[in-house]
Amino acid sequence: MAGAWWAITERTSRRTVGIIAGLAGVAIIGGALALVLTGAERLLIGLGIAVVLLACATACARFAVLPDLHALDAERVARPPSKAVLICNPRSGDGKVGKFGIIAAAAELGVRTIVLEAGDDLEQLARDAVADGADCLGMAGGDGSQALVASVAVEHDLPFVCVSTGTRNHFALDLGLDRDDPVSTLRAFADGVERRVDYATVNDRLFVNNVSLGVYATVVAQESYRADKARTAASMLPELLGRDARPFDLQFTTPAGDEVDGAFVILVSNNPYATSFSPDAATRHRLDTGRLGVIAVSSATGADAVALMTLSAIGLRRSSPFWHEFTARAFEIRSRGGRADAGIDGEAVQLDTPLVFRSHPKGLRLLVPAGNRAVAARRQARDVHVRTLVQIAAGRTPGSPCR
């Protein structure tokens, strides 16, 4: 862990030493595991049986708390819009709009398309579409574009269609949409169902995924970041996190009343992210909790960071005083300088402080393909906690108070 920290925050020879130390640590752990497992056939068989039993138990637990999927499959189709408009960014996701034939597919469904050209004001295009009588707005692009067009849809109480043609499409992923087949999402214009999810705002600006402050926001604000992300980050991290780095001018108060100053990572998300070590890590199981998720790291020295990284590696990061994780309906971040760099759904901006975050429960009307609500329910069923299972085993309804 110490080697990994040096590799990130130091330069030249110290960075090299850190990389070597990290690799040596991995080799030692791997060698120890190899020695334990060599010749231990019974151990491997027992371990395999345990994994199978654990998988069966997890599947049964998820089924026990899963809503009635048959009822969800019979969901009522919404009245299709008569003047739907889809704005397309042809440059997003290395040209996915063209690769998947989004414009032609939309035309077959009777959806008018607007192609975003260089220099166009995306928000103004959406407003012009509403002024021309659009009764549904859609966006084929990345998360930042999705949020901007969704804000216009919210303002006019119109349904919104998310077509995932960006690079990562985190919003579509957490909605349970098929990111590998964005054309399938276009069916929402013709025979979709309405689904209400939360959106969040920071100083009244809407976001659908998250707002990042500290290291990430500072790095993405650099002009060189778009051209070479890895090199820009590698050159800046020692300056931002090294021994001579100045604390970030960011302060906030936790729901427990603790004052935190100088956190170098702050992530405020529209609904909390899963932070456990699982295939669902860094995704959101739900988008309708009405809560913001907040994660912050405030270690002040390299030793503090190493301690936190070590605890994280064994799943005990929440016991560290430098790890802050909680949910809230509203949240505020302050700064003494009156301004803060931020990354809003991946877009670099600078905002006046204090930054006031709010969750807007079920404020976004989505049109999604039929069956998406069932997919969302299956995703939610993955979020099974030990406390829930204990309540079920004791014959109580999950979420009921213990007596």
Side-chain angles (χ1 to χ4, degrees), residues 170-176 195-199 208-209 270-271 284-290 360-362 366 380:
H170 292 296
F171 186 47
L173 169 65
D174 295 339
L175 286 172
R195 177 182 169 193
R196 285 189 172 269
V197 300
D198 306 340
Y199 71 90
V208 293
N209 288 333
N270 172 35
N271 287 271
R284 295 164 291 178
H285 291 136
R286 302 184 67 108
L287 288 172
D288 59 358
T289 66
H360 300 263
K362 299 184 178 180
L366 285 172
Q380 294 167 14

mmCIF file of all heavy atoms in Angstrom, residues 170-176 195-199 208-209 270-271 284-290 360-362 366 380:
data_model
loop_
_atom_site.group_PDB
_atom_site.id
_atom_site.type_symbol
_atom_site.label_atom_id
_atom_site.label_comp_id
_atom_site.label_asym_id
_atom_site.label_seq_id
_atom_site.Cartn_x
_atom_site.Cartn_y
_atom_site.Cartn_z
ATOM 1 N N HIS A 170 -22.793 6.245 -17.793
ATOM 2 C CA HIS A 170 -23.085 5.788 -16.434
ATOM 3 C C HIS A 170 -24.570 5.898 -16.094
ATOM 4 O O HIS A 170 -25.125 5.047 -15.392
ATOM 5 C CB HIS A 170 -22.267 6.597 -15.421
ATOM 6 C CG HIS A 170 -20.795 6.333 -15.502
ATOM 7 N ND1 HIS A 170 -20.247 5.101 -15.224
ATOM 8 C CD2 HIS A 170 -19.751 7.136 -15.836
ATOM 9 C CE1 HIS A 170 -18.933 5.155 -15.372
ATOM 10 N NE2 HIS A 170 -18.607 6.371 -15.751
ATOM 11 N N PHE A 171 -25.225 6.950 -16.564
ATOM 12 C CA PHE A 171 -26.639 7.130 -16.271
ATOM 13 C C PHE A 171 -27.451 5.988 -16.871
ATOM 14 O O PHE A 171 -28.315 5.395 -16.213
ATOM 15 C CB PHE A 171 -27.108 8.477 -16.824
ATOM 16 C CG PHE A 171 -28.517 8.843 -16.459
ATOM 17 C CD1 PHE A 171 -28.981 8.718 -15.160
ATOM 18 C CD2 PHE A 171 -29.390 9.335 -17.426
ATOM 19 C CE1 PHE A 171 -30.290 9.062 -14.813
ATOM 20 C CE2 PHE A 171 -30.686 9.688 -17.098
ATOM 21 C CZ PHE A 171 -31.136 9.547 -15.791
ATOM 22 N N ALA A 172 -27.181 5.645 -18.126
ATOM 23 C CA ALA A 172 -27.887 4.534 -18.776
ATOM 24 C C ALA A 172 -27.609 3.216 -18.062
ATOM 25 O O ALA A 172 -28.508 2.379 -17.894
ATOM 26 C CB ALA A 172 -27.468 4.443 -20.245
ATOM 27 N N LEU A 173 -26.365 3.010 -17.636
ATOM 28 C CA LEU A 173 -26.013 1.784 -16.916
ATOM 29 C C LEU A 173 -26.848 1.635 -15.656
ATOM 30 O O LEU A 173 -27.445 0.580 -15.392
ATOM 31 C CB LEU A 173 -24.520 1.802 -16.561
ATOM 32 C CG LEU A 173 -24.046 0.726 -15.576
ATOM 33 C CD1 LEU A 173 -24.186 -0.658 -16.184
ATOM 34 C CD2 LEU A 173 -22.597 0.984 -15.157
ATOM 35 N N ASP A 174 -26.919 2.700 -14.847
ATOM 36 C CA ASP A 174 -27.638 2.616 -13.580
ATOM 37 C C ASP A 174 -29.145 2.601 -13.772
ATOM 38 O O ASP A 174 -29.882 2.194 -12.868
ATOM 39 C CB ASP A 174 -27.216 3.778 -12.672
ATOM 40 C CG ASP A 174 -25.745 3.696 -12.276
ATOM 41 O OD1 ASP A 174 -25.186 2.589 -12.354
ATOM 42 O OD2 ASP A 174 -25.155 4.726 -11.910
ATOM 43 N N LEU A 175 -29.614 3.036 -14.943
ATOM 44 C CA LEU A 175 -31.040 2.903 -15.259
ATOM 45 C C LEU A 175 -31.393 1.488 -15.703
ATOM 46 O O LEU A 175 -32.561 1.113 -15.756
ATOM 47 C CB LEU A 175 -31.430 3.877 -16.376
ATOM 48 C CG LEU A 175 -31.548 5.350 -16.004
ATOM 49 C CD1 LEU A 175 -31.739 6.200 -17.259
ATOM 50 C CD2 LEU A 175 -32.703 5.586 -15.034
ATOM 51 N N GLY A 176 -30.369 0.699 -16.045
ATOM 52 C CA GLY A 176 -30.625 -0.649 -16.546
ATOM 53 C C GLY A 176 -30.896 -0.695 -18.031
ATOM 54 O O GLY A 176 -31.444 -1.676 -18.537
ATOM 55 N N ARG A 195 -41.301 6.109 -16.291
ATOM 56 C CA ARG A 195 -40.638 5.779 -15.038
ATOM 57 C C ARG A 195 -40.118 7.065 -14.428
ATOM 58 O O ARG A 195 -39.486 7.869 -15.123
ATOM 59 C CB ARG A 195 -39.485 4.807 -15.321
ATOM 60 C CG ARG A 195 -38.662 4.425 -14.108
ATOM 61 C CD ARG A 195 -37.520 3.494 -14.513
ATOM 62 N NE ARG A 195 -36.577 3.321 -13.427
ATOM 63 C CZ ARG A 195 -35.372 2.779 -13.549
ATOM 64 N NH1 ARG A 195 -34.972 2.337 -14.742
ATOM 65 N NH2 ARG A 195 -34.562 2.678 -12.514
ATOM 66 N N ARG A 196 -40.378 7.266 -13.170
ATOM 67 C CA ARG A 196 -39.918 8.478 -12.488
ATOM 68 C C ARG A 196 -38.688 8.168 -11.636
ATOM 69 O O ARG A 196 -38.702 7.228 -10.841
ATOM 70 C CB ARG A 196 -41.024 9.067 -11.622
ATOM 71 C CG ARG A 196 -42.105 9.786 -12.441
ATOM 72 C CD ARG A 196 -43.062 10.536 -11.551
ATOM 73 N NE ARG A 196 -43.983 11.362 -12.330
ATOM 74 C CZ ARG A 196 -43.768 12.627 -12.657
ATOM 75 N NH1 ARG A 196 -42.652 13.219 -12.262
ATOM 76 N NH2 ARG A 196 -44.654 13.308 -13.359
ATOM 77 N N VAL A 197 -37.651 8.967 -11.820
ATOM 78 C CA VAL A 197 -36.422 8.805 -11.044
ATOM 79 C C VAL A 197 -36.019 10.160 -10.471
ATOM 80 O O VAL A 197 -36.548 11.204 -10.866
ATOM 81 C CB VAL A 197 -35.277 8.222 -11.896
ATOM 82 C CG1 VAL A 197 -35.647 6.856 -12.447
ATOM 83 C CG2 VAL A 197 -34.912 9.171 -13.030
ATOM 84 N N ASP A 198 -35.062 10.125 -9.549
ATOM 85 C CA ASP A 198 -34.576 11.358 -8.924
ATOM 86 C C ASP A 198 -33.614 12.084 -9.855
ATOM 87 O O ASP A 198 -32.945 11.474 -10.695
ATOM 88 C CB ASP A 198 -33.822 11.049 -7.629
ATOM 89 C CG ASP A 198 -34.633 10.210 -6.653
ATOM 90 O OD1 ASP A 198 -35.876 10.189 -6.787
ATOM 91 O OD2 ASP A 198 -34.017 9.578 -5.777
ATOM 92 N N TYR A 199 -33.543 13.377 -9.671
ATOM 93 C CA TYR A 199 -32.412 14.139 -10.179
ATOM 94 C C TYR A 199 -31.895 14.991 -9.039
ATOM 95 O O TYR A 199 -32.552 15.131 -7.988
ATOM 96 C CB TYR A 199 -32.796 14.994 -11.398
ATOM 97 C CG TYR A 199 -33.687 16.173 -11.121
ATOM 98 C CD1 TYR A 199 -33.157 17.424 -10.799
ATOM 99 C CD2 TYR A 199 -35.073 16.066 -11.196
ATOM 100 C CE1 TYR A 199 -33.977 18.521 -10.553
ATOM 101 C CE2 TYR A 199 -35.897 17.148 -10.949
ATOM 102 C CZ TYR A 199 -35.349 18.370 -10.628
ATOM 103 O OH TYR A 199 -36.156 19.448 -10.388
ATOM 104 N N VAL A 208 -27.325 14.263 -13.230
ATOM 105 C CA VAL A 208 -27.955 12.949 -13.123
ATOM 106 C C VAL A 208 -27.033 11.916 -12.494
ATOM 107 O O VAL A 208 -27.508 10.900 -11.976
ATOM 108 C CB VAL A 208 -28.425 12.446 -14.510
ATOM 109 C CG1 VAL A 208 -29.567 13.308 -15.028
ATOM 110 C CG2 VAL A 208 -27.273 12.402 -15.509
ATOM 111 N N ASN A 209 -25.725 12.142 -12.532
ATOM 112 C CA ASN A 209 -24.773 11.188 -11.959
ATOM 113 C C ASN A 209 -24.122 11.743 -10.692
ATOM 114 O O ASN A 209 -24.495 11.372 -9.587
ATOM 115 C CB ASN A 209 -23.695 10.805 -12.974
ATOM 116 C CG ASN A 209 -24.229 9.919 -14.069
ATOM 117 O OD1 ASN A 209 -25.193 9.193 -13.888
ATOM 118 N ND2 ASN A 209 -23.622 9.993 -15.242
ATOM 119 N N ASN A 270 -26.139 11.646 -7.241
ATOM 120 C CA ASN A 270 -27.585 11.546 -7.299
ATOM 121 C C ASN A 270 -27.962 10.111 -6.958
ATOM 122 O O ASN A 270 -27.966 9.240 -7.812
ATOM 123 C CB ASN A 270 -28.065 11.928 -8.707
ATOM 124 C CG ASN A 270 -29.545 11.678 -8.917
ATOM 125 O OD1 ASN A 270 -30.350 11.836 -7.994
ATOM 126 N ND2 ASN A 270 -29.906 11.274 -10.129
ATOM 127 N N ASN A 271 -28.240 9.841 -5.684
ATOM 128 C CA ASN A 271 -28.412 8.509 -5.087
ATOM 129 C C ASN A 271 -27.033 7.886 -4.819
ATOM 130 O O ASN A 271 -26.079 8.111 -5.585
ATOM 131 C CB ASN A 271 -29.253 7.579 -5.970
ATOM 132 C CG ASN A 271 -30.724 7.970 -5.960
ATOM 133 O OD1 ASN A 271 -31.492 7.514 -5.125
ATOM 134 N ND2 ASN A 271 -31.123 8.847 -6.888
ATOM 135 N N ARG A 284 -25.016 2.489 -9.069
ATOM 136 C CA ARG A 284 -26.134 2.758 -8.176
ATOM 137 C C ARG A 284 -27.238 1.732 -8.424
ATOM 138 O O ARG A 284 -27.679 1.565 -9.555
ATOM 139 C CB ARG A 284 -26.671 4.177 -8.398
ATOM 140 C CG ARG A 284 -25.691 5.269 -8.037
ATOM 141 C CD ARG A 284 -26.098 6.612 -8.634
ATOM 142 N NE ARG A 284 -25.957 6.615 -10.090
ATOM 143 C CZ ARG A 284 -26.269 7.644 -10.870
ATOM 144 N NH1 ARG A 284 -26.748 8.753 -10.340
ATOM 145 N NH2 ARG A 284 -26.115 7.574 -12.181
ATOM 146 N N HIS A 285 -27.634 1.043 -7.360
ATOM 147 C CA HIS A 285 -28.697 0.060 -7.505
ATOM 148 C C HIS A 285 -30.057 0.721 -7.683
ATOM 149 O O HIS A 285 -30.952 0.152 -8.303
ATOM 150 C CB HIS A 285 -28.752 -0.849 -6.274
ATOM 151 C CG HIS A 285 -27.578 -1.758 -6.157
ATOM 152 N ND1 HIS A 285 -26.901 -1.989 -4.985
ATOM 153 C CD2 HIS A 285 -26.927 -2.502 -7.103
ATOM 154 C CE1 HIS A 285 -25.912 -2.829 -5.193
ATOM 155 N NE2 HIS A 285 -25.901 -3.152 -6.463
ATOM 156 N N ARG A 286 -30.218 1.915 -7.108
ATOM 157 C CA ARG A 286 -31.502 2.612 -7.176
ATOM 158 C C ARG A 286 -31.281 4.060 -7.593
ATOM 159 O O ARG A 286 -30.249 4.660 -7.272
ATOM 160 C CB ARG A 286 -32.217 2.593 -5.821
ATOM 161 C CG ARG A 286 -32.503 1.223 -5.252
ATOM 162 C CD ARG A 286 -33.298 1.359 -3.969
ATOM 163 N NE ARG A 286 -34.641 1.882 -4.248
ATOM 164 C CZ ARG A 286 -35.754 1.163 -4.172
ATOM 165 N NH1 ARG A 286 -35.676 -0.115 -3.848
ATOM 166 N NH2 ARG A 286 -36.929 1.703 -4.423
ATOM 167 N N LEU A 287 -32.293 4.617 -8.261
ATOM 168 C CA LEU A 287 -32.276 6.032 -8.620
ATOM 169 C C LEU A 287 -33.535 6.723 -8.120
ATOM 170 O O LEU A 287 -33.945 7.747 -8.662
ATOM 171 C CB LEU A 287 -32.149 6.195 -10.139
ATOM 172 C CG LEU A 287 -30.777 5.854 -10.731
ATOM 173 C CD1 LEU A 287 -30.833 5.874 -12.248
ATOM 174 C CD2 LEU A 287 -29.711 6.813 -10.238
ATOM 175 N N ASP A 288 -34.123 6.157 -7.059
ATOM 176 C CA ASP A 288 -35.358 6.733 -6.537
ATOM 177 C C ASP A 288 -35.397 6.743 -5.005
ATOM 178 O O ASP A 288 -36.460 6.655 -4.403
ATOM 179 C CB ASP A 288 -36.568 5.966 -7.082
ATOM 180 C CG ASP A 288 -36.538 4.476 -6.724
ATOM 181 O OD1 ASP A 288 -35.564 4.025 -6.081
ATOM 182 O OD2 ASP A 288 -37.482 3.755 -7.105
ATOM 183 N N THR A 289 -34.239 6.869 -4.368
ATOM 184 C CA THR A 289 -34.211 6.888 -2.899
ATOM 185 C C THR A 289 -34.473 8.278 -2.331
ATOM 186 O O THR A 289 -34.713 8.423 -1.136
ATOM 187 C CB THR A 289 -32.842 6.404 -2.370
ATOM 188 O OG1 THR A 289 -31.820 7.351 -2.737
ATOM 189 C CG2 THR A 289 -32.483 5.041 -2.933
ATOM 190 N N GLY A 290 -34.385 9.311 -3.165
ATOM 191 C CA GLY A 290 -34.555 10.666 -2.671
ATOM 192 C C GLY A 290 -33.402 11.139 -1.813
ATOM 193 O O GLY A 290 -33.551 12.072 -1.016
ATOM 194 N N HIS A 360 -33.968 15.823 -5.681
ATOM 195 C CA HIS A 360 -35.340 16.102 -6.112
ATOM 196 C C HIS A 360 -36.009 14.759 -6.410
ATOM 197 O O HIS A 360 -35.914 14.242 -7.525
ATOM 198 C CB HIS A 360 -35.343 17.005 -7.340
ATOM 199 C CG HIS A 360 -34.673 18.325 -7.109
ATOM 200 N ND1 HIS A 360 -35.359 19.475 -6.799
ATOM 201 C CD2 HIS A 360 -33.354 18.672 -7.117
ATOM 202 C CE1 HIS A 360 -34.521 20.479 -6.635
ATOM 203 N NE2 HIS A 360 -33.287 20.016 -6.825
ATOM 204 N N PRO A 361 -36.675 14.193 -5.401
ATOM 205 C CA PRO A 361 -37.209 12.829 -5.536
ATOM 206 C C PRO A 361 -38.200 12.690 -6.682
ATOM 207 O O PRO A 361 -39.163 13.450 -6.791
ATOM 208 C CB PRO A 361 -37.883 12.581 -4.182
ATOM 209 C CG PRO A 361 -37.225 13.546 -3.236
ATOM 210 C CD PRO A 361 -36.916 14.751 -4.065
ATOM 211 N N LYS A 362 -37.919 11.721 -7.544
ATOM 212 C CA LYS A 362 -38.790 11.351 -8.652
ATOM 213 C C LYS A 362 -39.227 12.566 -9.478
ATOM 214 O O LYS A 362 -40.352 12.625 -9.974
ATOM 215 C CB LYS A 362 -40.005 10.579 -8.135
ATOM 216 C CG LYS A 362 -39.613 9.277 -7.438
ATOM 217 C CD LYS A 362 -40.812 8.462 -7.013
ATOM 218 C CE LYS A 362 -40.360 7.149 -6.362
ATOM 219 N NZ LYS A 362 -41.509 6.321 -5.919
ATOM 220 N N LEU A 366 -39.084 9.809 -17.138
ATOM 221 C CA LEU A 366 -38.368 9.081 -18.181
ATOM 222 C C LEU A 366 -39.339 8.229 -18.984
ATOM 223 O O LEU A 366 -40.280 7.654 -18.425
ATOM 224 C CB LEU A 366 -37.316 8.162 -17.572
ATOM 225 C CG LEU A 366 -36.028 8.771 -17.036
ATOM 226 C CD1 LEU A 366 -35.222 7.707 -16.316
ATOM 227 C CD2 LEU A 366 -35.206 9.374 -18.155
ATOM 228 N N GLN A 380 -32.072 -3.644 -8.065
ATOM 229 C CA GLN A 380 -32.310 -3.277 -6.676
ATOM 230 C C GLN A 380 -32.201 -4.479 -5.755
ATOM 231 O O GLN A 380 -31.782 -4.354 -4.602
ATOM 232 C CB GLN A 380 -33.697 -2.646 -6.548
ATOM 233 C CG GLN A 380 -33.827 -1.310 -7.264
ATOM 234 C CD GLN A 380 -35.259 -0.856 -7.402
ATOM 235 O OE1 GLN A 380 -36.156 -1.397 -6.755
ATOM 236 N NE2 GLN A 380 -35.497 0.135 -8.266
#
